Short mmCIF file of all heavy atoms in Angstrom, two decimals:
data_model
loop_
_atom_site.label_atom_id
_atom_site.label_comp_id
_atom_site.label_asym_id
_atom_site.label_seq_id
_atom_site.Cartn_x
_atom_site.Cartn_y
_atom_site.Cartn_z
N GLU A 155 -18.81 139.67 -58.44
CA GLU A 155 -19.83 138.63 -58.24
C GLU A 155 -21.17 139.29 -58.52
O GLU A 155 -21.47 140.34 -57.96
CB GLU A 155 -19.79 138.09 -56.81
CG GLU A 155 -18.66 137.12 -56.61
CD GLU A 155 -18.77 136.35 -55.30
OE1 GLU A 155 -19.89 135.99 -54.90
OE2 GLU A 155 -17.71 136.16 -54.70
N MET A 158 -27.50 136.30 -58.87
CA MET A 158 -28.36 135.48 -59.72
C MET A 158 -29.57 135.12 -58.87
O MET A 158 -29.72 135.60 -57.78
CB MET A 158 -27.64 134.19 -60.12
CG MET A 158 -26.35 134.39 -60.85
SD MET A 158 -26.64 134.39 -62.63
CE MET A 158 -26.58 136.08 -63.00
N GLU A 159 -30.40 134.20 -59.36
CA GLU A 159 -31.57 133.86 -58.58
C GLU A 159 -31.23 132.97 -57.38
O GLU A 159 -30.20 132.30 -57.37
CB GLU A 159 -32.64 133.18 -59.45
CG GLU A 159 -32.13 132.23 -60.49
CD GLU A 159 -31.70 132.91 -61.78
OE1 GLU A 159 -32.52 133.60 -62.38
OE2 GLU A 159 -30.54 132.75 -62.17
N ALA A 160 -32.12 132.98 -56.41
CA ALA A 160 -32.06 132.08 -55.26
C ALA A 160 -30.71 132.03 -54.57
O ALA A 160 -30.18 130.97 -54.25
CB ALA A 160 -32.49 130.67 -55.69
N GLY A 161 -30.14 133.22 -54.33
CA GLY A 161 -28.94 133.28 -53.52
C GLY A 161 -27.66 132.82 -54.19
O GLY A 161 -26.64 132.67 -53.53
N ALA A 162 -27.68 132.61 -55.50
CA ALA A 162 -26.45 132.24 -56.20
C ALA A 162 -25.83 133.49 -56.80
O ALA A 162 -26.52 134.48 -57.06
CB ALA A 162 -26.76 131.24 -57.30
N THR A 163 -24.50 133.47 -56.98
CA THR A 163 -23.85 134.59 -57.66
C THR A 163 -23.01 134.03 -58.81
O THR A 163 -22.56 132.89 -58.75
CB THR A 163 -22.93 135.39 -56.72
OG1 THR A 163 -21.97 134.50 -56.15
CG2 THR A 163 -23.70 136.07 -55.61
N ALA A 164 -22.81 134.87 -59.82
CA ALA A 164 -21.92 134.50 -60.93
C ALA A 164 -20.61 135.24 -60.72
O ALA A 164 -20.61 136.46 -60.57
CB ALA A 164 -22.55 134.90 -62.26
N VAL A 165 -19.52 134.50 -60.68
CA VAL A 165 -18.21 135.13 -60.49
C VAL A 165 -17.62 135.37 -61.87
O VAL A 165 -17.55 134.45 -62.69
CB VAL A 165 -17.29 134.19 -59.67
CG1 VAL A 165 -15.97 134.88 -59.36
CG2 VAL A 165 -17.99 133.73 -58.39
N LYS B 11 -33.33 125.14 -66.11
CA LYS B 11 -32.80 125.06 -64.76
C LYS B 11 -32.89 123.62 -64.27
O LYS B 11 -33.93 123.00 -64.42
CB LYS B 11 -33.61 125.98 -63.84
CG LYS B 11 -32.86 126.23 -62.56
CD LYS B 11 -33.58 127.17 -61.65
CE LYS B 11 -32.84 127.23 -60.35
NZ LYS B 11 -33.74 127.51 -59.25
N ARG B 97 -31.05 136.11 -64.67
CA ARG B 97 -30.26 135.81 -65.87
C ARG B 97 -30.87 136.41 -67.11
O ARG B 97 -30.16 136.89 -67.99
CB ARG B 97 -30.21 134.31 -66.11
CG ARG B 97 -29.20 133.60 -65.29
CD ARG B 97 -29.46 132.10 -65.41
NE ARG B 97 -29.13 131.44 -64.18
CZ ARG B 97 -27.96 130.83 -63.99
NH1 ARG B 97 -27.07 130.80 -64.94
NH2 ARG B 97 -27.70 130.29 -62.83
N GLN B 183 -17.31 131.14 -62.46
CA GLN B 183 -18.16 130.08 -61.91
C GLN B 183 -19.44 130.64 -61.30
O GLN B 183 -19.55 131.84 -61.07
CB GLN B 183 -17.42 129.32 -60.81
CG GLN B 183 -17.07 130.23 -59.65
CD GLN B 183 -16.43 129.49 -58.50
OE1 GLN B 183 -15.61 128.62 -58.70
NE2 GLN B 183 -16.80 129.83 -57.29
N ILE B 184 -20.38 129.75 -61.05
CA ILE B 184 -21.57 130.13 -60.29
C ILE B 184 -21.30 129.71 -58.85
O ILE B 184 -20.82 128.61 -58.60
CB ILE B 184 -22.82 129.38 -60.80
CG1 ILE B 184 -23.20 129.83 -62.22
CG2 ILE B 184 -24.00 129.55 -59.84
CD1 ILE B 184 -23.84 131.20 -62.29
N ARG B 185 -21.59 130.62 -57.94
CA ARG B 185 -21.38 130.27 -56.55
C ARG B 185 -22.72 130.25 -55.82
O ARG B 185 -23.47 131.22 -55.89
CB ARG B 185 -20.47 131.31 -55.90
CG ARG B 185 -19.76 130.66 -54.76
CD ARG B 185 -18.42 131.21 -54.50
NE ARG B 185 -18.57 132.34 -53.60
CZ ARG B 185 -17.57 133.14 -53.32
NH1 ARG B 185 -16.41 132.98 -53.90
NH2 ARG B 185 -17.74 134.11 -52.48
N GLN B 186 -23.03 129.15 -55.19
CA GLN B 186 -24.28 129.04 -54.46
C GLN B 186 -24.03 129.50 -53.04
O GLN B 186 -23.26 128.89 -52.32
CB GLN B 186 -24.76 127.58 -54.52
CG GLN B 186 -26.19 127.37 -54.08
CD GLN B 186 -27.20 128.01 -55.03
OE1 GLN B 186 -27.06 127.91 -56.24
NE2 GLN B 186 -28.20 128.67 -54.48
N GLN B 187 -24.66 130.59 -52.65
CA GLN B 187 -24.42 131.14 -51.32
C GLN B 187 -25.19 130.35 -50.25
O GLN B 187 -24.64 129.84 -49.31
CB GLN B 187 -24.85 132.60 -51.24
CG GLN B 187 -24.32 133.46 -52.34
CD GLN B 187 -22.86 133.81 -52.17
OE1 GLN B 187 -22.00 132.95 -52.26
NE2 GLN B 187 -22.56 135.08 -51.91
N THR B 188 -26.50 130.29 -50.47
CA THR B 188 -27.32 129.54 -49.52
C THR B 188 -27.68 128.23 -50.18
O THR B 188 -27.56 128.11 -51.39
CB THR B 188 -28.62 130.32 -49.23
OG1 THR B 188 -29.14 130.76 -50.49
CG2 THR B 188 -28.38 131.51 -48.36
N GLY B 189 -28.12 127.27 -49.42
CA GLY B 189 -28.47 125.93 -49.94
C GLY B 189 -29.27 126.02 -51.22
O GLY B 189 -29.27 127.05 -51.85
N ASP B 190 -29.95 124.98 -51.64
CA ASP B 190 -30.67 125.11 -52.90
C ASP B 190 -32.05 125.72 -52.65
O ASP B 190 -33.07 125.04 -52.69
CB ASP B 190 -30.74 123.78 -53.66
CG ASP B 190 -31.26 122.66 -52.79
OD1 ASP B 190 -31.44 122.91 -51.58
OD2 ASP B 190 -31.53 121.58 -53.30
N ALA B 191 -32.03 126.99 -52.36
CA ALA B 191 -33.26 127.71 -52.07
C ALA B 191 -34.13 127.80 -53.31
O ALA B 191 -33.64 127.75 -54.42
CB ALA B 191 -32.91 129.11 -51.59
N ILE B 192 -35.41 127.91 -53.11
CA ILE B 192 -36.34 128.09 -54.22
C ILE B 192 -36.29 129.56 -54.62
O ILE B 192 -36.25 130.45 -53.78
CB ILE B 192 -37.77 127.69 -53.79
CG1 ILE B 192 -37.79 126.20 -53.48
CG2 ILE B 192 -38.78 128.04 -54.87
CD1 ILE B 192 -39.07 125.74 -52.83
#
Side-chain angles (χ1 to χ4, degrees):
Chain A
E155 282 192 38
M158 301 267 102
E159 38 276 303
T163 57
V165 185
Chain B
K11 197 178 174 209
R97 278 168 214 263
Q183 62 175 42
I184 293 286
R185 207 150 88 189
Q186 193 67 43
Q187 310 284 68
T188 46
D190 52 353
I192 295 170

